[in-house]
Each structure stands twice: as structure tokens, then as C-alpha cells.
Amino acid sequence: MLRYLAGRLWQSLILLLLVSVIGFAVLNLAPGGPLSQYTLTPGMTKEALDRIAEQMGLNRPLPIQYLDWFWRLVQGDWGRSYRDGQPVLAIIGGHLFATLLLMGFSTLISIVIGTWIGVMGATRRYSLFDTLATVGAMIALSIPTFWFGLVGIYLFSLKLKWLPAGNMFTVGDGSFADYAIHLIMPSIVLALVNVAVWSRYMRTATLDVINQDFVRTAKAKGLKPRRVLVKHVIGNALLPMITLAGLQIPTILSGALVTETVFTWPGMGRLFLDSLGYSDYPVIMGLLMFSAILVLIGNLIADLLVAFVDPRIRLG
């Protein structure tokens, strides 16, 4: 196990290095550059821009800029925002809780509902329920996330007035109930696509387990169908789903970017779009690296859980 863990950590470090190189190069070679916001200042001259570039170290060759940035990153200095001069880590930390809360609740919804739909679809194959679940999954995968968000705001906020249209809490309230009611609509919208994916995979995995010999043996022994389903089928069908949960993290993060924008949710996705608008390169790179770390940690935990749950997997 330790040998496997060391190998995965080494692979993760290499991937993080590649992500940092590619992200830094693409960001700094994009049109406009980090000084684009300064060019909008009335009366800004070329001499002033050159002086700002020199103060920020942007007049050096790009490889030197990257090495300086990466060395400071390793030391824990992720830079300061071009917008207000605050440390990048402090800015990300201020938005991290909102994103983790939204991701965690939407993931819980996806797993619970997706698992139930997938198991019911497999045990009632080609029934009306299975057909409706398949059609619903195709619709959820075909329509953009922001459309579901806008429709939800129109129906449940503007027309029915059941749920708030956005933000994380009501100013002056901040109670648990207030947080919960603000969380309902964005988490459901973010979970829709993942429910569709999870239910399809769970249906396939359940069908595969149902046809295994040990399930037939359990039925032949006279065990009740419900016990066979719960004890033998669902438990084994969930094993590949653990890996899927880790692979879904990038999808959830990208979906959070859109969902947080639609619902003005103060998370990292909203921060990323705001930073792009201000050409705040240190914050953008910090978010890119932080997201990459979250994805790698999620995949690593998923692999370790599979290895722990399934003794048939041998880790070299």
C-alpha cells in the first residue's frame, strides 16, 4: 500500500508541474496580458506601463518569470492579487468554504438519487421507470447547466417565490436555516448532470453484478430478493462508482463555475470569472493550481478507497 501511495504521489507531483507550466504559458501568451487593465486608465503612457512592468517583474523572459513564480509557490507564497494586493491564498481561502459546501451537498444529492435511479432502472429493466430515467438523463446531459439555473430562478424565485434567487445567505440573518434555503436550488442545478451520469453508470454496474454466479447462488439458496439486492448486488456495484466519484470532481468544479455565476454564489468559480475580467493573473494561476490539487487528491482518495474496500485489488 505504501509503495502504491508513493507512486501515486510522485505521479501527482509530475502532473501538477505540467499543469503549472501549461497554465502559466497559455495565460501569459494570451492576447492582452496582465497589464491590459492598466491600459484602460485615462492618461496612462507607455513609459508608465514600462515602469509598472518592471516593478512587477513582467519585463523579464517568460521562463524566468515562471521559475520565479514556481519557486515562490513551493515556498508557500502564491503571490498577490493585481486587483487589490491581497495574498492569493487568503483570497482563495475566503471563497473556499462556499465552493466546498456547494460541491459537497450537490455530490451527496448525485450519489443518493443517482444510485437509487440506477438500481431501480436495472432491476426494472425496460420498464416505464427505466425508459423515463433514460430520457431524463439524456435531457440533463444535453441542456446547459446555466439554462436549468435560469429556469429554476424564474419558476421558484420569481413566480412561486419559494426560494431565493441567489447569494449564499441573507444579509443580517446568516442562520443555518437561511444557509440551507439558499443552498437548495444551486446544489440541485449543479447535481442534475452528475445524477444523470451516476444513474447510467450505476445501472450498468448493477446489471453486470446481477448476472454474476454468486448472485444466482444466493437466489438459489432461497434468500429474499431484497436481501440479495442490498447485501450482494448494490455493495459490489458501488465499487466502480467510487472511482467514478473521483473522476467527477473536474465536472463538478466546471459546473460550479457556471452555477456560482448564475446564482451569484461567492465561491471559487465566481472568483475565477471575476479574476479573468480583471486580468488578475496571480489569482487565476492560484485557482488553477488549487483546483488541480483538489482533483488529484479526490482521485487518490477514490483509488485508495477502492483498494481498501475490494481485497481483490493488489497494489504493487
Side-chain angles (χ1 to χ4, degrees):
M1 177 70 77
L2 292 177
R3 186 176 174 185
Y4 171 78
L5 180 60
R8 287 302 310 271
L9 288 175
W10 177 247
Q11 294 173 9
S12 299
L13 290 176
I14 295 176
L15 285 173
L16 281 177
L17 180 62
L18 292 175
V19 168
S20 68
V21 171
I22 296 173
F24 194 90
V26 170
L27 195 61
N28 284 274
L29 294 176
L35 296 177
S36 59
Q37 288 296 321
Y38 293 98
T39 60
L40 303 177
T41 303
M44 181 62 66
T45 62
K46 185 179 182 305
E47 291 75 15
L49 282 175
D50 293 339
R51 186 166 57 254
I52 294 173
E54 183 177 358
Q55 292 173 352
M56 300 171 65
L58 300 176
N59 59 341
R60 297 173 298 173
L62 191 59
I64 302 300
Q65 293 184 44
Y66 169 77
L67 291 175
D68 178 63
W69 169 81
F70 187 77
W71 176 243
R72 287 187 285 107
L73 183 77
V74 172
Q75 294 178 316
D77 180 11
W78 290 38
R80 290 184 173 271
S81 169
Y82 290 166
R83 183 179 178 183
D84 53 19
Q86 294 186 30
V88 171
L89 278 179
I91 296 175
I92 295 177
H95 294 77
L96 179 60
F97 172 74
T99 294
L100 292 181
L101 180 64
L102 181 60
M103 287 177 56
F105 201 71
S106 66
T107 301
L108 180 63
I109 294 174
S110 303
I111 292 175
V112 173
I113 298 180
T115 299
W116 179 76
I117 293 176
V119 172
M120 291 299 100
T123 54
R124 304 175 184 179
R125 195 176 182 185
Y126 303 133
S127 65
L128 177 61
F129 178 88
D130 189 29
T131 302
L132 292 176
T134 302
V135 173
M138 295 302 103
I139 293 175
L141 291 170
S142 302
I143 298 177
T145 303
F146 73 86
W147 187 86
F148 286 118
L150 294 176
V151 171
I153 291 174
Y154 177 77
L155 288 178
F156 298 106
S157 298
L158 298 181
K159 291 296 183 181
L160 300 175
K161 301 186 184 302
W162 289 353
L163 298 171
N167 294 318
M168 187 175 175
F169 57 89
T170 302
V171 178
D173 190 339
S175 62
F176 177 81
D178 186 60
Y179 272 96
I181 198 171
H182 280 80
L183 183 62
I184 292 174
M185 193 153 51
S187 60
I188 291 177
V189 169
L190 180 58
L192 281 175
V193 173
N194 297 309
V195 166
V197 174
W198 190 276
S199 64
R200 294 294 88 196
Y201 275 97
M202 190 63 193
R203 178 182 183 275
T204 303
T206 304
L207 286 174
D208 181 64
V209 174
I210 286 176
N211 296 321
Q212 297 295 321
D213 292 337
F214 67 89
V215 175
R216 297 193 188 98
T217 302
K219 292 179 179 178
K221 288 181 177 179
L223 294 179
K224 295 181 179 180
R226 183 181 182 85
R227 185 177 180 185
V228 173
L229 179 65
V230 174
K231 186 175 181 180
H232 297 281
V233 176
I234 296 179
N236 287 277
L238 281 173
L239 286 177
M241 298 298 100
I242 297 176
T243 303
L244 177 65
L247 297 175
Q248 285 294 99
I249 293 180
T251 304
I252 297 173
L253 282 172
S254 60
L257 189 150
V258 178
T259 305
E260 289 178 1
T261 302
V262 172
F263 291 98
T264 60
W265 189 266
M268 294 195 302
R270 176 88 181 276
L271 175 64
F272 182 79
L273 286 181
D274 291 343
S275 300
L276 280 177
Y278 282 94
S279 299
D280 199 345
Y281 285 23
V283 176
I284 296 173
M285 282 302 303
L287 289 169
L288 176 64
M289 295 301 297
F290 199 87
S291 300
I293 291 172
L294 285 180
V295 171
L296 292 174
I297 291 176
N299 285 311
L300 180 60
I301 292 175
D303 288 347
L304 292 177
L305 283 176
V306 172
F308 178 77
V309 173
D310 191 352
R312 298 170 298 178
I313 298 178
R314 298 182 60 185
L315 304 178

